Amino acid sequence: MKQSGNVRMEGVVKQHGSFTALHGLDLEIRPGEFFALLGPSGSGKTTTLRILAGLESVNAGRVLLDNADVTHAEPGARDVAMVFQSYALYPHMTVAENIGFPLKMIGTPIAARSAAVQDAAAKVGIAHLLSRRPGQLSGGQQQRCALARAIVRQPRLFLLDEPLSNLDAKLRIETRAELRRLQRSLGVTMVYVTHDQEEAMTVADRMAVFMEGRVVQVGTPKSIFQRPASAAVASFIGTPPMNMLPARLEAGMVEVAGARLPVAEAAGKSGAVTLGVRPGDLRIAPDGMPATVEFIEDLGDSAVVLLQLAGQQVKLRAGNAQALTEGQPVFLRFDPAAAHLFDSASGLRL
Ligand SMILES: Nc1ncnc2c1ncn2[C@@H]1O[C@H](COP(=O)(O)OP(=O)(O)OP(=O)(O)O)[C@@H](O)[C@H]1O
Ligand SMILES: [Mg+2]
């Protein structure tokens, strides 16, 4: 398949009446990338995807595919395929007819169409279901049918909007791994919308984090997890979410909950900060921040401990439930390098 599929959005503004859904979006997606658009509900992910597909006009800015300006090009002229959350299969057509439909629309002869349908169905593992109708398929099989219909035309760009959200948890995890393999084997660019941060973390080469119609951070899942650009991104990425505590920074130490603890970052800075520590980076120690054990969620192979710390609930993830009891007073510490510091006014990383 084609190795192209470079996407550039420059200053894209989208308004619905007086409401601004996208505030001047800049985004670059490289050929062959599995790129996730991640963000809370209403942050502009679907809008962005629909603009790439040509299903939505823009109020300002440009969209480029492989360096060609397609801002005003019709969907059919863009050589992209979109898979919707609802799959949008035609109920009266067989699976084969559904998959072959995009080829029929462009007048592909029946023999070539049939071969392409077979090939696409085989790639997603539904070659044995071609004579059924969508109503006779499971949710996962319908999802594969929609995927096969998208790959049959060999587009340069795939746009997927929460394609797994109708599947149960186990199937979702299996299918996302398959999707990843499929994308690799096709060598095609995939833009994948999800509000599930774990899903984005596990499948994406890179991702853009959306908040309120803006891209607030772009990078590999790992780099964003390790260095979230703001307290909002830090709270959104990671399960359970990062603990956020009001603190004072001075001379490489944070003063938090009456304790003074060293931090590695932000040397030379001082003032009011928000201290972020991931649950997996908190540990119980002989001294440090005084806290009280509130509740222990024993997950079998690990445990999440809920604690009260300076009138606030924090979470600690441990390898096991340890010898803790509810109501027990303890002290908490963290590695200096595990502290994330954010400006308490702007929320931006120091
Ligand atoms: N046709 C429309 N008219 C008015 N507002 C709209 C319209 N379409 C979308 N919006 C608004 O634009 C914002 C972004 O919507 P969008 O569908 O892109 O969000 P999303 O990030 O995909 O959210 P979700 O995760 O819930 O699917 C939302 O606040 C939504 O209400
Ligand atoms: Mg959406």
Side-chain angles (χ1 to χ4, degrees):
M1 271 201 195
K2 296 157 203 161
Q3 289 295 325
S4 56
N6 178 274
V7 179
R8 223 159 68 226
M9 299 180 84
E10 296 175 353
V12 169
V13 174
K14 177 65 191 179
Q15 279 158 337
H16 293 293
S18 62
F19 176 79
T20 304
L22 296 176
H23 303 261
L25 202 77
D26 294 314
L27 205 56
E28 170 138 32
I29 301 170
R30 301 169 192 148
E33 233 176 6
F34 199 124
F35 194 93
L37 310 184
L38 173 68
S41 186
S43 57
K45 309 179 297 293
T46 296
T47 303
T48 302
L49 211 63
R50 288 175 58 82
I51 288 171
L52 289 177
L55 300 171
E56 199 93 62
S57 64
V58 303
N59 296 90
R62 300 202 303 162
V63 179
L64 297 104
L65 293 182
D66 294 321
N67 296 316
D69 190 330
V70 297
T71 314
H72 304 292
E74 290 296 317
R78 295 190 181 203
D79 191 16
V80 305
M82 184 153 169
V83 176
F84 300 90
Q85 182 178 354
S86 61
Y87 312 145
L89 299 172
Y90 303 108
H92 59 286
M93 292 184 192
T94 63
V95 168
E97 286 163 352
N98 265 286
I99 297 173
F101 190 72
L103 296 180
K104 192 173 176 186
M105 291 307 286
I106 56 170
T108 308
I110 192 151
R113 207 157 80 206
S114 170
V117 167
Q118 276 291 339
D119 186 48
K123 280 198 174 103
V124 299
I126 57 166
H128 59 300
L129 301 172
L130 287 175
S131 57
R132 293 213 199 155
R133 289 181 202 282
Q136 301 168 314
L137 301 179
S138 72
Q141 290 164 342
Q142 288 182 34
Q143 193 269 344
R144 280 152 214 265
C145 182
L147 265 180
R149 187 177 57 184
I151 66 180
V152 76
R153 268 187 72 182
Q154 312 196 347
R156 61 177 155 187
L157 180 63
F158 275 110
L159 306 172
L160 284 78
D161 194 356
E162 312 240 9
L164 309 181
S165 58
N166 289 338
L167 307 181
D168 68 48
K170 184 166 177 286
L171 193 57
R172 202 157 61 223
I173 290 170
E174 287 168 15
T175 313
R176 78 186 181 207
E178 280 171 25
L179 199 56
R180 173 78 218 201
R181 270 198 297 279
L182 180 69
Q183 183 267 345
R184 275 277 165 275
S185 72
L186 298 175
V188 72
T189 311
M190 207 174 259
V191 186
Y192 185 96
V193 165
T194 179
H195 64 266
D196 179 341
Q197 55 91 22
E198 187 187 299
E199 195 163 287
M201 296 288 293
T202 48
V203 295
D205 293 312
R206 290 195 308 143
M207 60 190 193
V209 183
F210 278 67
M211 297 207 165
E212 296 175 348
R214 291 189 167 83
V215 168
V216 292
Q217 193 165 8
V218 179
T220 63
K222 195 170 178 177
S223 70
I224 295 178
F225 184 86
Q226 288 176 340
R227 286 188 63 82
S230 67
V233 174
S235 305
F236 189 67
I237 309 249
T239 332
M242 188 184 279
N243 297 299
M244 294 290 181
L245 299 161
R248 279 203 70 77
L249 174 67
E250 213 180 303
M253 307 280 279
V254 281
E255 205 179 299
V256 51
R260 275 170 61 81
L261 296 169
V263 290
E265 278 184 25
K269 297 196 178 162
S270 64
V273 296
T274 300
L275 166 70
V277 185
R278 294 206 180 275
D281 290 330
L282 266 187
R283 58 189 155 77
I284 295 187
D287 59 9
M289 304 178 284
T292 310
V293 177
E294 205 171 56
F295 186 71
I296 300 158
E297 293 174 354
D298 196 343
L299 306 173
D301 57 350
S302 66
V304 174
V305 185
L306 281 64
L307 305 112
Q308 277 292 325
L309 172 69
Q312 197 177 326
Q313 189 178 71
V314 297
K315 291 187 177 182
L316 173 154
R317 192 171 35 217
N320 55 50
Q322 302 184 339
L324 295 171
T325 51
E326 284 159 28
Q328 182 184 340
V330 294
F331 290 103
L332 301 177
R333 290 190 81 95
F334 49 84
D335 192 77
H340 301 258
L341 297 171
F342 305 100
D343 185 280
S344 58
S346 69
L348 296 178
R349 190 179 193 94
L350 288 192

